[in-house]
Amino acid sequence: MRDFTSDHSALALNTATLGHNLDGYGAGWSPEQVIDACAARGLAGIVFWRREIGTRAVEIGERVRAAGMDVVGLCRTPFLVGPLAPPTPQGIMDDFHASIDMAAALGTRVLTIVTGGVEPGTKGHGESQRLVADRVARAAPYATDRGVNLALEPLNPVYAGNRTCIMTLRDALRVCDMVDAPNVGVAVDVYHVWWDSDLAAACAAAGDRILGFHLCDWLAETKDVLLDRGMMGDGVADIRAIRTAVEGAGYGGPCEVEIFSVGNWWRRDPDDVLDAMVERFRTVC
């Protein structure tokens, strides 16, 4: 396992940690302010949300690289199934392609897929997983042509009704097998998988299909399952054990801090959040 106690050059910021994934939260820093602050701290890169980018993908990507960093990823595709997905199959695929285009324009190789929940008119998750596999399989060649990998992210089971139909890394790998495309893999997020007693074995099975690793913590007294994530070290997740499993599978890429925290971290000065992120990465991750 890599030693981060005196080296945080693998650390990346997901801008959700500053509240940039939702309107009206955080300090409202521009992409330029975020880039400059991350570069000043020696971060590996940044993961943006589509809502921040607009028509400026090429410009923002170039600025990140000029600052000595990478655009580590892009959040995210539309929901592909479930009650929160675009209303028509064609609308889903059009938005899916638009997210791939944005990732390519940014110059990132990883686009995160959050699948969406149970497809209306169905029960359980089997049919929804099959629909996701079909839609990812249809988009995968388009992504390949643009140099983009697609990372299926399992979500904590608390989101299994409306936001996800894959709750474990095993679920995500099963969908990957159904798609059977070389540019389709998985993202492992501490918040969503920390509870899974099969995680180490699933990471080993994933191998080089792990395309991203996301850091945060699960608070023992979580007040909001969507918007009350903890900074690393503040919760009950065994982050080092999870990283051991992820890196033992062969992953050596960036470690992306992604914290949704409406009542805590989003209310703080972004400089303080970034400094805390670096310190926790070195001491508890």
Side-chain angles (χ1 to χ4, degrees):
M1 188 169 74
R2 292 175 288 179
D3 182 3
F4 295 146
T5 56
S6 59
D7 177 12
H8 63 272
S9 60
L11 177 61
L13 171 75
N14 183 304
T15 61
T17 305
L18 305 180
H20 288 200
N21 56 317
L22 294 176
D23 285 322
Y25 293 99
W29 273 11
S30 68
E32 288 80 6
Q33 288 175 288
V34 174
I35 292 165
D36 290 347
C38 289
R41 290 167 172 80
L43 269 60
I46 305 173
V47 177
F48 292 100
W49 286 70
R50 289 171 65 191
R51 61 178 301 276
E52 302 172 82
I53 302 302
T55 60
R56 302 177 60 211
V58 172
E59 174 191 350
I60 290 170
E62 289 176 348
R63 174 145 183 165
V64 170
R65 287 181 288 277
M69 300 180 293
D70 293 320
V71 182
V72 171
L74 176 65
C75 289
R76 56 176 173 70
T77 66
F79 293 119
L80 303 182
V81 293
L84 302 180
T88 66
Q90 187 60 53
I92 290 169
M93 296 308 298
D94 288 347
D95 198 15
F96 198 170
H97 286 172
S99 66
I100 293 168
D101 290 339
M102 181 178 285
L106 279 168
T108 184
R109 295 188 58 81
V110 180
L111 173 63
T112 301
I113 297 174
V114 178
T115 64
V118 177
E119 181 71 3
T122 71
K123 301 290 186 182
H125 296 98
E127 180 59 26
S128 299
Q129 289 179 3
R130 285 188 287 273
L131 275 171
V132 166
D134 175 71
R135 288 166 181 168
V136 173
R138 286 192 281 135
Y142 188 86
T144 295
D145 289 345
R146 286 150 184 80
V148 175
N149 297 313
L150 305 173
L152 288 156
E153 183 176 4
L155 300 192
N156 193 292
V158 295
Y159 304 117
N162 62 350
R163 292 180 179 270
T164 193
C165 62
I166 54 173
M167 289 69 65
T168 66
L169 188 55
R170 291 284 188 191
D171 287 335
L173 294 174
R174 186 179 309 114
V175 174
C176 285
D177 289 341
M178 294 164 68
V179 175
D180 192 24
N183 66 326
V184 175
V186 298
V188 179
D189 186 318
V190 167
Y191 194 75
H192 298 305
V193 302
W194 73 272
W195 56 274
D196 185 358
S197 59
D198 187 48
L199 181 63
C203 285
D208 62 7
R209 290 182 289 180
I210 298 177
L211 302 177
F213 179 46
H214 306 172
L215 291 169
C216 57
D217 213 334
W218 181 279
L219 300 175
E221 300 295 335
T222 297
K223 297 178 175 64
D224 183 316
V225 294
L226 181 62
L227 299 175
D228 190 30
R229 298 187 186 192
M231 182 68 72
M232 298 85 71
D234 285 346
V236 296
D238 191 342
I239 295 172
R240 284 188 175 158
I242 296 171
R243 186 162 73 85
T244 296
V246 168
E247 294 189 2
Y251 183 77
C255 301
E256 165 194 337
V257 176
E258 183 182 29
I259 297 171
F260 300 3
S261 178
V262 67
N264 186 358
W265 294 99
W266 289 359
R267 296 187 178 190
R268 304 192 189 196
D269 185 296
D271 282 310
D272 294 339
V273 176
L274 292 172
D275 289 341
M277 187 179 84
V278 172
E279 189 272 334
R280 298 295 184 87
F281 183 71
R282 288 188 164 204
T283 56
V284 304
C285 295

